[in-house]
Amino acid sequence: MARPVSRLPRRLAAAGAGVVLAAGLAVPAQAAESPRQREFTDAAAEFGVPLDVLLGVSYLESRWDDHAGSPSTSAGYGPMHLTDLRAAGGVGSEFDSGEDPRGDDARPALHPAAFAVKPAAPPPSLQTVGEAAALLHTDAAKLRTDAEENIRGGAALLAYYQQQLGIHSSAAKDWYGAVARYSGAEDTTAARTFADEVFDTISKGQSRTTNDDQTLTLAAALGVTPDRTQVARLGLRADAPTAAECPKTVACESVPAPYQELPEGGYGNHDVAGRPQSQKIDYIVLHDTETTWDTALKLAQKPSYLAWHYTVRSSDGLIAQHVPTKDVGWHAGNWYVNSKSIGIEHEGFGAKGTWYTEAMYQSSAKLVGYLARRYGIPLDRAHIIGHDNVPGTTPSTIAGMHWDPGPYWDWSHYFDLLGAPLCPTARPGSGLVTIAPSFEHNRITFTGCDQNGSGNPCPVMNSEAVVLHTEPADSAPLLKDPGLHGTKPSTMDVSDVGSRVATGQRYAIAGTQGDWTAIWYLGQKGWFHNPRNAPAAVPARGSVATPKPGHASVPVYGRAYPEASAYPANVPVQELAPMPYTLAAGQRYAVGSVVGSEYFSATTFDPAKHVVVRGKTKYVEIQFGHRVEYVELDDVQLQPAA
């Protein structure tokens, strides 16, 4: 129900805001296909905010989804991303599991203390729900859970910010400063970048169906040139030093990680290298921080901790670079992958059943696209991987490997933003499939978001994951992962990747039955529901690896290390430990790439003593389970998927 505009001044004046409504507000013509569309229209009229501005801000924060009252990774609620860190909680598990982030057997395992630095109180940008509740004379809980009230709260905040700037206008171009402040950014570049993205969305227009099946449209408004000078009036801090290795279209600052010698011969918190001349960069690994932005940056600056290359802030997409891409970060828990990858952390708490903002998706995708072009990294899920796709190094490390960014990261949308959509690449009947469920309609109830292994249901959320069964039936047991669980079946715990596949990954088909498809997975047939009217996978082209004739099975490895004879006398030979899985004759697995064998020996503070060992052995990266693995090229034959 629409509220009368005349009610607004009394409410905000009582809260001390004194907002004056823009006279003669012209609300752009919009489709009203859904209640949500009408809620935006009503809130825009009630609070004197141009409708395209309100829709544009909401799109960049939440893509207009309400997420059933669940918080984002930066504690934002509802379509307008009103933040409440106190309610969302701020403790996660990314930095306190058993994984050694360095993953190098030549050095002692690295287990830094978790969360050594914590903010004393949430920053204002993470507690906007209180400000909005005061403006509306309502309680914060209602703004977190009621989508209509959440939209009103966001509109009230924008109107309040506009009033503080002393600007009275119904034209969208005159709301640039209010939009920039809504981002929560503390520096001018990040605030401008957020506002630029909002106005770019307004210019291009958007239309989509939300997670709760509401159709919304933002009509394109060509020729809107916002007044970018308004940001200077927000009192934001001066920009931090700009990082050199970022695209120009993002806000990116330099927050260097220290390369520093420590007592007793140790050093931190990364390794100096000379990539790509010394080693080709093959992967970009996406993580989430499991802590707040401020804490993550402080941790990356601790000499005794660990460092990755970039962190992306959730609320506005600001990027901080910590380690030059030529150097090797300690982030993935597998030294082979570390030495061949760039690590990007995303502010968030994947373990809590949270969602990621559109501002983060867009900024991250621009960074990854830039890095992929720079280093020739293919835009596919064999090379743009999550931390959850990185293999353990030996059987003993599998159980401790991390699983972020988790099943709520929208890989399909991310690859759309990368300009590499996950579309069918082959005709039906191909021997390969790309996992590609509809994120908006693929709702899975995982467990353990409150605490790993609790068995308590997580919020029902949209998910990129597809669950596998031992037979073509929902009631059939989940698959077993000997590395994770021994002889026990996998579980639906949010951290358990033993019996599920991720969007964008390619697998070899092992059979079909009715609406069910089986794929080869960890040496077993894994079945998933794949009806024609709502497919969970699409046909794909590519090659598969299968054991050569005469091989009953071939060993699977978590790293592509050289043969023993390749190591010089001063570099200890690194063990090639087979994984506890079976790749038997007749099984087939999707090929990611054929790679040479390498080991980056970096056990001293002096980079001059670092050595790259290269062998003659070649490996094939395969999509073996949820994680990638490696098999020796001499053990398998590569065949077209068909």
Side-chain angles (χ1 to χ4, degrees):
M1 176 180 178
R3 278 120 174 131
V5 174
S6 60
R7 292 170 56 184
L8 173 65
R10 293 198 299 272
R11 292 188 174 206
L12 295 188
V19 171
V20 178
L21 285 177
L25 175 68
V27 179
Q30 296 283 337
E33 298 89 347
S34 67
R36 181 77 41 79
Q37 184 92 42
R38 289 193 295 273
E39 289 162 6
F40 275 103
T41 302
D42 292 345
E46 179 182 2
F47 293 92
V49 180
L51 179 56
D52 46 3
V53 168
L54 188 61
L55 284 167
V57 168
S58 178
Y59 185 85
L60 202 64
E61 294 284 25
S62 69
R63 298 179 76 209
W64 304 324
D65 289 335
D66 71 343
H67 295 282
S70 297
S72 77
T73 57
S74 55
Y77 289 84
M80 293 304 299
H81 198 256
L82 299 178
T83 55
D84 193 344
L85 186 62
R86 293 188 181 96
V91 178
S93 59
E94 161 68 358
F95 288 124
D96 60 0
S97 82
E99 180 187 271
D100 167 15
R102 196 161 50 197
D104 183 8
D105 294 349
R107 292 179 271 189
L110 184 67
H111 293 297
F115 306 113
V117 182
K118 293 183 180 180
S125 63
L126 295 182
Q127 283 298 140
T128 60
V129 71
E131 191 174 19
L135 292 173
L136 297 184
H137 285 286
T138 189
D139 60 83
K142 191 170 187 179
L143 293 179
R144 291 195 302 266
T145 57
D146 186 317
E148 183 177 8
E149 289 300 294
N150 183 274
I151 294 167
R152 293 184 67 238
L157 279 179
L158 281 167
Y160 178 45
Y161 298 157
Q162 183 78 345
Q163 185 276 333
Q164 288 189 316
L165 287 170
I167 301 172
H168 310 299
S169 173
S170 61
K173 68 181 182 63
D174 295 322
W175 285 71
Y176 188 90
V179 171
R181 182 175 173 186
Y182 198 97
S183 71
E186 298 175 351
D187 65 276
T188 56
T189 296
R192 281 197 187 101
T193 301
F194 178 87
D196 286 345
E197 292 287 358
V198 169
F199 279 87
D200 183 61
T201 300
I202 292 171
S203 176
K204 294 177 180 176
Q206 288 289 345
S207 181
R208 72 180 294 264
T209 301
T210 65
N211 64 315
D212 56 347
D213 297 321
Q214 306 252 7
T215 300
L216 283 92
T217 298
L218 168 58
L222 302 178
V224 176
T225 303
D227 181 6
R228 300 179 78 250
T229 64
Q230 293 177 1
V231 172
R233 300 161 60 181
L234 297 179
L236 303 176
R237 68 171 170 83
D239 296 333
T242 302
E245 297 183 292
C246 282
K248 294 180 180 179
T249 53
V250 300
C252 188
E253 62 184 29
S254 177
V255 183
Y259 186 70
Q260 183 175 321
E261 197 163 14
L262 302 173
E264 301 181 0
Y267 67 93
N269 53 15
H270 60 282
D271 278 294
V272 171
R275 306 183 307 174
Q277 289 76 24
S278 59
Q279 286 185 285
K280 187 177 182 296
I281 300 173
D282 289 331
Y283 303 103
I284 297 175
V285 183
L286 306 190
H287 308 252
D288 75 46
T289 61
E290 292 298 329
T291 188
T292 61
W293 166 265
D294 289 342
T295 300
L297 266 57
K298 290 174 182 176
L299 291 172
Q301 294 174 85
K302 290 186 65 177
S304 60
Y305 205 67
L306 56 102
W308 47 97
H309 295 88
Y310 299 89
T311 305
V312 186
R313 189 159 65 190
S314 176
S315 60
D316 57 4
L318 175 65
I319 298 170
Q321 183 175 7
H322 312 298
V323 177
T325 57
K326 74 177 184 65
D327 295 336
V328 176
W330 301 348
H331 59 93
N334 181 314
W335 186 241
Y336 174 78
V337 174
N338 278 340
S339 66
K340 306 282 289 180
S341 71
I342 294 169
I344 303 175
E345 292 277 357
H346 297 78
E347 181 189 16
F349 302 88
K352 290 184 172 294
T354 50
W355 49 275
Y356 297 89
T357 66
E358 180 65 7
M360 174 181 282
Y361 278 128
Q362 292 195 16
S363 185
S364 176
K366 289 177 180 177
L367 174 62
V368 168
Y370 161 82
L371 294 170
R373 290 188 297 272
R374 183 178 180 185
Y375 292 112
I377 302 170
L379 291 176
D380 60 40
R381 289 285 279 115
H383 298 89
I384 311 299
I385 62 177
H387 198 170
D388 55 340
N389 307 135
V390 176
T393 54
T394 64
S396 64
T397 65
I398 294 173
M401 295 298 290
H402 287 176
W403 53 274
D404 55 301
Y408 306 121
W409 179 267
D410 190 347
W411 283 107
S412 180
H413 179 53
Y414 194 70
F415 271 78
D416 285 344
L417 294 173
L418 285 171
L422 303 175
C423 301
T425 56
R427 294 181 178 181
S430 170
L432 280 178
V433 291
T434 297
I435 304 302
S438 167
F439 186 82
E440 285 76 13
H441 299 97
N442 188 44
R443 294 165 191 161
I444 300 176
T445 303
F446 292 105
T447 62
C449 288
D450 54 345
Q451 182 179 354
N452 287 354
S454 71
N456 296 325
C458 297
V460 179
M461 298 272 289
N462 299 340
S463 176
E464 54 80 44
V466 172
V467 178
L468 301 178
H469 298 268
T470 56
E471 300 291 341
D474 288 323
S475 59
L478 303 181
L479 301 183
K480 295 180 179 179
D481 184 336
L484 275 179
H485 306 296
T487 59
K488 297 179 180 179
S490 299
T491 70
M492 287 298 293
D493 193 277
V494 68
S495 67
D496 190 343
V497 299
S499 188
R500 69 177 187 235
V501 292
T503 291
Q505 293 177 327
R506 291 185 308 151
Y507 292 89
I509 292 178
T512 58
Q513 184 174 320
D515 286 341
W516 289 77
T517 298
I519 56 173
W520 288 112
Y521 187 95
L522 297 179
Q524 310 156 73
K525 287 185 178 182
W527 292 87
F528 64 94
H529 195 224
N530 189 30
R532 286 188 177 183
N533 61 346
V538 296
R541 61 174 176 166
S543 299
V544 295
T546 189
K548 283 184 175 179
H551 289 67
S553 65
V554 299
V556 177
Y557 302 100
R559 46 199 179 182
Y561 278 173
E563 65 278 4
S565 61
Y567 289 82
N570 62 333
V571 177
V573 175
Q574 299 301 298
E575 179 188 6
L576 275 172
M579 291 297 181
Y581 306 117
T582 300
L583 199 173
Q587 297 180 8
R588 309 192 308 165
Y589 293 88
V591 171
S593 59
V594 177
V595 299
S597 51
E598 293 181 351
Y599 172 66
F600 178 42
S601 176
T603 59
T604 67
F605 180 69
D606 183 2
K609 297 180 180 179
H610 297 174
V611 178
V612 177
V613 180
R614 292 185 175 86
K616 296 180 180 179
T617 305
K618 291 187 179 298
Y619 289 85
V620 181
E621 176 203 337
I622 58 173
Q623 190 66 63
F624 190 64
H626 190 88
R627 304 181 188 274
V628 300
E629 304 283 354
Y630 303 92
V631 293
E632 291 191 22
L633 180 60
D634 287 345
D635 287 341
V636 297
Q637 56 184 0
L638 306 185
Q639 305 170 337

